[in-house]
Amino acid sequence: MNSTKKIEAVCVDCIDEDDVLTLAVGDDKNDPKNFLIIGRFDEDSLSVDECIGFQNESTKYEIASAIEYVELNDVELVITVNDKASSEAGAKNFHAIFKHPIDKFKVSQYLRDIFKNSSTRVIIK
């Protein structure tokens, strides 16, 4: 599957709670129909990649080791997932297009922290 899904990102939240780093993007703050969540919870028995998960409105659960590529720029966040994740999530590429200005510094710091020491390629422009 090599399709692309676009999300009108009305809400972009960065959360650090109970040792879990989470970046959530959705088309509504209270009841999103389209969303994606990237989370990292470190466990000693797992590789870094296995501690990072991807979830969207099409997945039943968070998918570990799913994210291959992340790019953040002033207008969008681009996520590319692997083939296994794309079959569950309904697309290979996800483009969260920002409808409002975001705190790019905060979002980029969360992305750096989430993907630190992982195999995922992260580009911040």
Side-chain angles (χ1 to χ4, degrees):
M1 176 175 291
N2 201 15
S3 62
T4 298
K5 177 166 182 152
K6 293 185 179 183
I7 299 171
E8 291 189 12
V10 172
C11 177
V12 179
D13 281 334
C14 299
I15 305 155
D16 183 355
E17 188 174 296
D18 298 327
D19 296 322
V20 179
L21 293 176
T22 304
L23 176 66
V25 178
D27 61 5
D28 187 85
K29 182 152 182 81
N30 298 314
D31 187 23
K33 304 292 184 254
N34 298 286
F35 64 88
L36 61 88
I37 301 169
I38 301 167
R40 176 173 176 162
F41 178 72
D42 289 327
E43 293 189 37
D44 293 336
S45 61
L46 298 175
S47 71
V48 171
D49 288 340
E50 292 173 304
C51 293
I52 300 169
F54 174 86
Q55 186 171 6
N56 74 350
E57 71 282 348
S58 297
T59 60
K60 291 181 182 178
Y61 306 101
E62 183 178 81
I63 305 166
S65 304
I67 302 171
E68 296 178 337
Y69 175 82
V70 176
E71 181 180 318
L72 175 67
N73 59 53
D74 291 332
V75 296
E76 69 182 345
L77 172 67
V78 177
I79 307 289
T80 301
V81 298
N82 61 30
D83 291 338
K84 177 182 179 277
S86 70
S87 66
E88 291 183 47
K92 176 85 172 163
N93 302 294
F94 296 85
H95 291 243
I97 301 159
F98 305 130
K99 291 299 178 185
H100 307 287
I102 63 162
D103 184 344
K104 187 177 173 188
F105 177 80
K106 184 177 182 180
V107 173
S108 64
Q109 189 59 52
Y110 265 73
L111 289 171
R112 285 186 186 98
D113 290 345
I114 289 170
F115 292 102
K116 183 178 181 180
N117 297 322
S118 77
S119 65
T120 301
R121 184 171 175 218
V122 178
I123 306 292
I124 310 286
K125 294 184 179 180

